[in-house]
Amino acid sequence: MVFNDPTLPWERTASAVYTDDDATNTVPWLAMLLFTQDELRLSNSNLSTMFAATSLGTSAKQSDMLTINMLASEIPEVTNSASAVVFDLEGDGANAKTDLIFVPSALFNALFMQYDTQGQVTPGQTNAWVHHHRFLAHLRHIHLDGAPTAAMTEDEDHTYSVVVGHRTGPLDITQPTTVVAHLVNIEGVEAMSWPATKGYVALSSLYSWDYTCLPPNSLGVADTFAQLGTSLSVLRPGLTDSDLQILDQKLNLMDLTYSAAWNLGKALALADQTFAAALSRVRAQIFDVAMKEAQESVVKAWAADLEIPSPYRTREDVVSSIASTLRKIRELPRSKRLQQDPNGMAHRWFRPEYPKLDLTYKGSEIDPVIDQYLASAAAIVASTTDGDGSSQSPPAPYNEFNVPYSPDWAVVLKWVMDRYFLVNVPPHYLISDSSHLPSEALRFFNVDSAWVWAMVDGGLSLANHLDQSDDRLRDAIKGAINTYLTTQIPGLGYVPPLPTYGFFVRSTLVIKFPDMIVDLKGTDKTDTTGPPEILRHEILGQDTLFGLLRAPPADPGFTSLLLRQPPHQQYFAAATDITSQAIKMDYQRGKQTPRGKNYIWGTTPMATDLRILNVENYAVDVQTQLVNLFKPNPTWYNAPYASAALMGIEMNEPCWQLEVQLPYADPSTGGQDFQLTSLSFSVPLAAPRPLIAQGYDYRFSGGGVTMLSNMRFVAVAQFTLDGKTLLLTVKPRTVSGWWPADQLEEVSFLLSGVVVQTYDTVTSVDVPVVEAYESDRAFPNHLYVDLVPPGG
């Protein structure tokens, strides 16, 4: 068990016994113990009688982890049970409760017995022996680079304390069996009367969990990594509503993919009240600024055409003209302009009529010019207040590293970028069918930027109260977003990176190692100036790891994806192999250790009921091995005693890593090698291993061969001249005669009326496959079909 607190296991004292290596090792007050459910389950009669004198009465019940929660002050009232619980009434209080496990005394005595180098009980023991736990807790420093939680911490160096259990699961099971792990307090164990003579011993359980122990020869972590590597494939997209519906004129089919993306974006926007309110205010800000500037420009141009003073005055214009206005008023009585004009008095209130202006949003003067002012206003609203105060045209955009001109714009931009990174996109939009991502599978995919932009467009369509056909405000907002995406971020030297490639990992490994490290091979690790390659890396659900990359595999670039265990989530193993008869340990170069030396199988010679490491002897054995190994160079290892750190390293399993080599296009070929012209399957009809029973003829049986979903292709069937093979060929329906392989998701087809050949035993039939490309290159392959006998 790994603790974030690096000193927790040693903050209390569990033993008063002194040994020679106490300066190196300290006995922790925490211990990890493993039990089968049968070992901890109390019978109904015990539950009704043992706790009768406590507040639980005769209705005591065990939890799923086989604990009983009760008042610590009532533990002495439990009958037929000794207690190793340390309780301070004054310090802990009368209402303090704890979870208790009740370990059978025989098992408790065996767990805390002192054993010699041959695995035999040390004679003369007067106290429970807890000192071997000093080798089962250690501290370690690790790095979390590449883990999903790496970005959640500031410090690159992380310190953890680790407590390891010394008992293994059952060795003679034939079916998966549930076992329970308990982190217990062993402070009071050494002070108990020895040996325990009552039926049970109560231990305080601080944390517990259960897991499934697999039978011998089951898949291990290394096997699971290997199995995952063989499942490499491309994630198949699914059709998922009407301006974005695309009609394929050749196939006369409607593609709803982008329409579904638009509707999804709108639904996500409606569900986010903060974003919806911010977008409404951003629209209002842009509209107000744009209309003011557009109206001012139109009025000034109108006045200039008529050669009259502009009637449009800003507040600054009015204030600056007050002096001249007062001067003209003062001059009126002296100038006698009205008296000098023959019709002056009669026309003193006359004003010439000028063409009327329509300054509304949809007016004939504003409509032709409003787009440029909307774009300019959007650039202002999307800008930053950082800078030296100098005017910049266009203004520098807000980039998440500076201060936004509009706080609402920061909300809008964050929502848009989350969509680019597929945050909160429902899984069924990414994986349309569960069969596309089966268990223990690795799937890669390209990110369709048009699909993502359709989703963003749907979200930005909210709060549109002006346009019915073409949303000009939304276009302006999208223009400001594009400016942000194409502007280098000061101090970083690159534009905001967007994902174009990604992967899913669905495996029990994700459950076991939730901080699994993802890395790329081929990238220049010394170059810290470029944009990051891994843009998103997190756990979706319980067993699925999701990642987004800035670019697809390429050379130069990265050509492999690495998945490996995180340092703090590696596991500890007693041996390379263990059976009911022998144990094999790596540090002994594969030599099998005799029964009873470093591992104790049971309380009797041929039993397997104990299954614990003889930790004391194991530590001495490792120490001796190292001293002998470095005798020629004693300064390389000169520790006088074995330590918990040494045992932590020795029992630590290797850090397993899966390297997935990714296919990538060769840029020198211009992609010509990946223009698929045909895909052929040669189905055997004759001995030695036919796939289809004799007498089948696609021309008269069923409907022949038909495509199932990808109607851009056509399937053709024909017999070879000798009649021994049925050739199934899939070809694209294109004028050019080829289709880009990187745009090919699947080519499923159905062969109707087939009677499959039957065999007495499971038989694998080889179906040769040939991929043909425009560059006259053909790649032979094989498809193996396993035929199972009826009822088999």
Side-chain angles (χ1 to χ4, degrees):
M1 188 170 185
V2 181
F3 298 93
N4 291 325
D5 187 338
T7 62
L8 180 63
W10 305 278
E11 290 180 355
R12 299 185 184 185
T13 302
S15 176
V17 176
Y18 177 81
T19 58
D20 293 340
D21 61 354
D22 270 6
T24 305
N25 304 300
T26 301
V27 180
W29 64 282
L30 298 174
M32 183 64 62
L33 299 179
L34 185 71
F35 304 94
T36 63
Q37 291 183 324
D38 291 340
E39 290 171 337
L40 295 182
R41 184 176 287 112
L42 298 175
S43 66
N44 291 333
S45 60
N46 280 329
L47 288 173
S48 61
T49 58
M50 290 175 60
F51 307 93
T54 71
S55 59
L56 296 177
T58 59
S59 58
K61 293 182 179 180
Q62 288 182 295
S63 69
D64 293 340
M65 298 296 110
L66 301 170
T67 63
I68 291 181
N69 184 266
M70 62 181 296
L71 291 170
S73 59
E74 294 183 342
I75 296 176
E77 307 301 324
V78 179
T79 62
N80 195 29
S81 175
S83 172
V85 179
V86 177
F87 173 67
D88 180 6
L89 180 61
E90 181 178 351
D92 296 330
N95 296 323
K97 287 189 172 185
T98 183
D99 288 329
L100 297 175
I101 57 173
F102 291 85
V103 183
S105 293
L107 177 58
F108 176 84
N109 292 336
L111 290 176
F112 293 98
M113 197 79 72
Q114 186 176 8
Y115 297 94
D116 61 19
T117 58
Q118 295 304 314
Q120 302 299 316
V121 176
T122 303
Q125 183 177 343
T126 58
N127 299 95
W129 184 255
V130 298
H131 226 63
H132 56 286
H133 284 279
R134 70 189 187 276
F135 293 118
L136 298 175
H138 64 277
L139 178 146
R140 61 175 54 199
H141 297 263
I142 68 167
H143 286 266
L144 288 179
D145 294 345
T149 56
M152 301 179 185
T153 55
E154 296 181 359
D155 192 0
E156 291 185 357
D157 182 46
H158 301 265
T159 307
Y160 297 89
S161 55
V162 183
V163 175
V164 183
H166 68 308
R167 193 179 189 211
T168 64
L171 302 176
D172 51 1
I173 56 176
T174 57
Q175 298 293 331
T177 302
T178 301
V179 294
V180 187
H182 285 274
L183 180 72
V184 298
N185 182 346
I186 60 171
E187 281 182 279
V189 170
E190 191 175 81
M192 290 179 57
S193 297
W194 183 260
T197 57
K198 294 184 178 182
Y200 297 92
V201 176
L203 293 173
S204 180
S205 175
L206 307 179
Y207 189 79
S208 61
W209 70 94
D210 60 3
Y211 67 91
T212 301
C213 184
L214 300 177
N217 301 320
S218 299
L219 285 177
V221 173
D223 302 317
T224 308
F225 267 106
Q227 173 69 20
L228 189 61
T230 62
S231 69
L232 173 63
S233 184
V234 177
L235 183 66
R236 292 183 292 170
L239 296 178
T240 358
D241 169 301
S242 275
D243 294 336
L244 287 175
Q245 295 179 354
I246 303 172
L247 177 65
D248 190 320
Q249 297 181 359
K250 291 185 178 180
L251 304 178
N252 199 27
L253 294 175
M254 192 68 74
D255 188 346
L256 307 179
T257 305
Y258 298 111
S259 177
W262 194 92
N263 286 332
L264 171 63
K266 189 169 185 177
L268 292 175
L270 287 169
D272 191 334
Q273 297 181 4
T274 302
F275 166 74
L279 179 61
S280 179
R281 291 190 291 267
V282 165
R283 280 179 170 269
Q285 292 170 1
I286 295 174
F287 178 78
D288 291 343
V289 174
M291 283 297 292
K292 177 179 176 293
E293 293 182 353
Q295 289 171 347
E296 178 182 357
S297 174
V298 167
V299 170
K300 287 182 177 180
W302 172 81
D305 290 342
L306 297 177
E307 298 181 351
I308 60 174
S310 172
Y312 188 93
R313 298 290 185 90
T314 64
R315 182 183 302 174
E316 291 77 11
D317 292 339
V318 173
V319 172
S320 63
S321 66
I322 289 177
S324 62
T325 301
L326 293 175
R327 186 167 54 253
K328 290 180 180 180
I329 294 174
R330 191 170 57 248
E331 294 279 336
L332 285 176
R334 302 172 188 168
S335 64
K336 299 181 180 182
R337 290 180 57 187
L338 296 177
Q339 293 89 335
Q340 295 173 1
D341 189 339
N343 297 315
M345 294 302 292
H347 294 86
R348 64 185 183 276
W349 304 115
F350 174 77
R351 293 292 183 273
E353 291 189 9
Y354 298 111
K356 292 183 178 180
L357 285 174
D358 185 357
L359 298 179
T360 62
Y361 176 72
K362 292 293 187 179
S364 58
E365 283 78 17
I366 298 297
D367 185 75
V369 300
I370 190 61
D371 287 341
Q372 59 180 313
Y373 292 102
L374 288 173
S376 176
I380 295 173
V381 173
S383 65
T384 176
T385 59
D386 287 359
D388 54 8
S390 60
S391 60
Q392 179 180 345
S393 182
Y398 165 69
N399 57 24
E400 300 182 290
F401 290 91
N402 47 27
V403 180
Y405 174 91
S406 167
D408 290 321
W409 176 258
V411 175
V412 171
L413 183 63
K414 180 183 182 302
W415 187 92
V416 170
M417 295 308 295
D418 281 348
R419 302 295 78 76
Y420 268 109
F421 284 77
L422 304 180
V423 176
N424 293 332
V425 174
H428 61 272
Y429 281 88
L430 304 177
I431 307 170
S432 58
D433 190 279
S434 59
S435 64
H436 296 172
L437 186 62
S439 182
E440 303 305 328
L442 176 60
R443 296 291 184 266
F444 290 86
F445 59 88
N446 285 299
V447 178
D448 187 346
S449 59
W451 191 93
V452 175
W453 196 227
M455 177 172 58
V456 171
D457 190 82
L460 296 178
S461 67
L462 291 192
N464 174 25
H465 308 298
L466 299 172
D467 300 302
Q468 293 184 353
S469 57
D470 186 14
D471 189 349
R472 295 179 170 185
L473 271 170
R474 180 179 58 189
D475 293 341
I477 293 173
K478 288 159 64 176
I481 294 172
N482 286 333
T483 299
Y484 159 73
L485 294 175
T486 56
T487 302
Q488 283 193 1
I489 301 175
L492 296 181
Y494 53 80
V495 300
L498 295 177
T500 62
Y501 196 72
F503 62 89
F504 282 101
V505 177
R506 187 181 178 196
S507 172
T508 55
L509 292 172
V510 179
I511 302 176
K512 293 179 180 178
F513 313 113
D515 277 342
M516 184 182 295
I517 293 175
V518 175
D519 203 355
L520 301 176
K521 185 176 181 180
T523 52
D524 186 1
K525 297 299 182 181
T526 62
D527 182 14
T528 59
T529 61
E533 294 290 346
I534 301 176
L535 302 182
R536 185 183 174 195
H537 170 205
E538 63 180 271
I539 305 296
L540 298 181
Q542 187 180 18
D543 62 349
T544 303
L545 176 66
F546 176 66
L548 290 176
L549 309 178
R550 183 179 62 86
D555 188 11
F558 73 92
T559 56
S560 297
L561 178 73
L562 304 177
L563 302 175
R564 63 174 178 267
Q565 295 172 250
H568 65 298
Q569 288 178 350
Q570 297 174 41
Y571 63 97
F572 297 85
T576 306
D577 186 32
I578 184 171
T579 68
S580 60
Q581 299 295 324
I583 184 171
K584 184 185 295 183
M585 295 184 173
D586 279 340
Y587 78 94
Q588 293 184 328
R589 302 295 191 274
K591 175 184 176 183
Q592 289 194 343
T593 304
R595 276 180 71 95
K597 185 178 182 184
N598 287 348
Y599 185 80
I600 302 171
W601 276 259
T603 52
T604 59
M606 297 308 295
T608 60
D609 57 340
L610 197 51
R611 309 181 306 278
I612 59 173
L613 283 174
N614 187 1
V615 181
E616 294 277 358
N617 192 69
Y618 187 17
V620 172
D621 202 7
V622 173
Q623 170 75 6
T624 303
Q625 294 279 341
L626 288 176
V627 170
N628 292 335
L629 180 65
F630 294 111
K631 267 185 178 180
N633 301 282
T635 58
W636 290 5
Y637 182 81
N638 54 13
Y641 304 105
S643 65
L646 173 65
M647 295 306 295
I649 295 173
E650 172 60 35
M651 291 189 293
N652 207 155
E653 272 291 272
C655 179
W656 295 105
Q657 173 177 288
L658 171 65
E659 178 178 346
V660 182
Q661 295 184 351
L662 304 175
Y664 59 91
D666 185 353
S668 64
T669 64
Q672 296 299 315
D673 288 344
F674 301 95
Q675 296 172 345
L676 183 69
T677 58
S678 68
L679 192 60
S680 302
F681 301 82
S682 298
V683 181
L685 303 176
R689 289 189 179 90
L691 179 60
I692 299 176
Q694 188 176 6
Y696 171 76
D697 193 331
Y698 67 89
R699 296 167 293 186
F700 308 107
S701 301
V705 58
T706 56
M707 299 300 300
L708 287 180
S709 58
N710 196 337
M711 300 305 173
R712 292 183 175 88
F713 285 77
V714 60
V716 179
Q718 62 181 6
F719 292 111
T720 56
L721 294 177
D722 57 10
K724 295 181 179 182
T725 304
L726 175 61
L727 186 63
L728 302 176
T729 305
V730 179
K731 294 184 176 183
R733 290 179 172 176
T734 59
V735 176
S736 62
W738 54 264
W739 185 261
D742 58 353
Q743 299 179 22
L744 180 61
E745 289 82 23
E746 53 82 34
V747 285
S748 304
F749 59 89
L750 174 67
L751 186 61
S752 304
V754 172
V755 178
V756 179
Q757 179 71 32
T758 59
Y759 292 89
D760 295 332
T761 60
V762 177
T763 303
S764 181
V765 179
D766 179 14
V767 179
V769 182
V770 177
E771 305 171 32
Y773 294 90
E774 178 69 10
S775 56
D776 294 330
R777 294 179 63 184
F779 297 92
N781 211 325
H782 293 271
L783 173 66
Y784 294 95
V785 181
D786 290 334
L787 299 180
V788 181

